[in-house]
Amino acid sequence: MIRHPHDGPELPAPVRRYVTPQRRYLKLGGGLLRLEDPERGRFMRDLREDAGLITAEEIAELLEGGWRERRTASWLVAVSGRTEFRERLGELLLASEVCCAGPAYCVALAGFGTERDADLLAAYLDRYLRRPDLGYDQVVVMGAFRYVDLNLGGGRADRFLQPEGLWQRWLQDAPHMRVDADPTLQYLSLMRRLCAWVEECAEGEDGRR
């Protein structure tokens, strides 16, 4: 049974150690961009330290938990650059079993930034842009995919973004996406900022991981 972070001291040790202190799991995401010093610096130092301390077994355990555990584990993977979890994050993103964790998977995959990461993000878009009835993480994944695509030289996103492509059709048909402007650039910018935050956190004050 998946336990939630408010369930008490019987929680597994990795949850108590990495997820629940100062309700870390709530801050991992766009809220990081609003942190100011000294809280920002302290949060970065703590996250970088834990990213170096957590074991692969503990990460795997957290990735089997609920959204809080999965979100935290994904950010620790991103900061520590543990590309061995790439395929697992891709599987979890595609499965979309829980809410609130998808953007964290995207940050990690976008930070890795290889062709394989682009393929994993594209696989999500190929599946979920065909489901306008599902308001999942389509816009975040598109932002991450475009970020990786542009860094790799561009061109991979064309088949989604062309007129009458899957992206345009999804925007038109998804009832929750009745917006005047295409959110693609907004979420591309968000992914750039989050990946820059991860890079700064990973490097630390001395410029080294």
Side-chain angles (χ1 to χ4, degrees):
M1 176 185 298
I2 295 175
R3 294 191 176 110
H4 298 294
H6 57 268
D7 287 344
E10 72 277 8
L11 285 169
V15 177
R16 296 197 308 271
R17 174 68 179 85
Y18 300 108
V19 178
T20 59
Q22 288 78 55
R23 303 180 81 185
R24 168 186 278 170
Y25 60 89
L26 287 178
K27 300 174 183 176
L28 294 170
L32 292 174
L33 303 176
R34 296 188 293 272
L35 293 180
E36 297 181 356
D37 285 327
E39 182 184 9
R40 181 177 184 274
R42 182 168 57 248
F43 192 93
M44 274 191 170
R45 288 191 298 272
D46 291 345
L47 191 65
R48 180 169 63 250
E49 178 181 347
D50 284 347
L53 291 174
I54 192 169
T55 66
E57 292 75 16
E58 289 172 325
I59 290 174
E61 181 178 349
L62 291 179
L63 289 175
E64 293 295 328
W67 70 265
R68 300 165 180 85
E69 294 91 341
R70 294 184 186 194
R71 174 189 280 183
T72 305
S74 299
W75 274 86
L76 292 170
V77 165
V79 171
S80 58
R82 300 193 196 195
T83 56
E84 65 267 29
F85 285 98
R86 169 185 288 117
E87 299 299 326
R88 180 59 178 148
L89 295 182
E91 291 172 358
L92 292 172
L93 178 64
L94 192 61
S96 291
E97 297 173 329
V98 299
C99 68
C100 305
Y105 307 147
C106 289
V107 168
L109 294 174
F112 297 158
T114 68
E115 291 188 6
R116 180 55 183 161
D117 301 295
D119 289 342
L120 292 171
L121 293 165
Y124 179 97
L125 295 172
D126 275 318
R127 175 178 294 185
Y128 289 103
L129 289 182
R130 302 176 194 276
R131 295 294 306 273
D133 57 313
L134 299 179
Y136 284 3
D137 296 305
Q138 288 94 331
V139 291
V140 179
V141 176
M142 178 57 79
F145 179 63
R146 290 214 63 197
Y147 174 81
V148 175
D149 180 34
L150 290 171
N151 286 341
L152 291 174
R156 293 167 182 79
D158 292 349
R159 66 186 181 91
F160 294 113
L161 298 174
Q162 63 185 345
E164 301 304 318
L166 282 177
W167 178 247
Q168 293 300 324
R169 294 206 302 269
W170 183 80
L171 285 177
Q172 293 168 9
D173 296 340
H176 57 285
M177 289 302 296
R178 300 301 184 192
V179 295
D180 295 329
D182 185 334
T184 304
L185 295 180
Q186 174 187 349
Y187 282 89
L188 170 60
S189 175
L190 174 63
M191 197 55 54
R192 281 196 181 112
R193 296 171 69 194
L194 289 176
C195 286
W197 196 99
V198 168
E199 184 176 354
E200 182 182 352
C201 180
E203 290 178 348
E205 294 179 355
D206 59 1
R208 294 178 288 109
R209 285 185 182 269

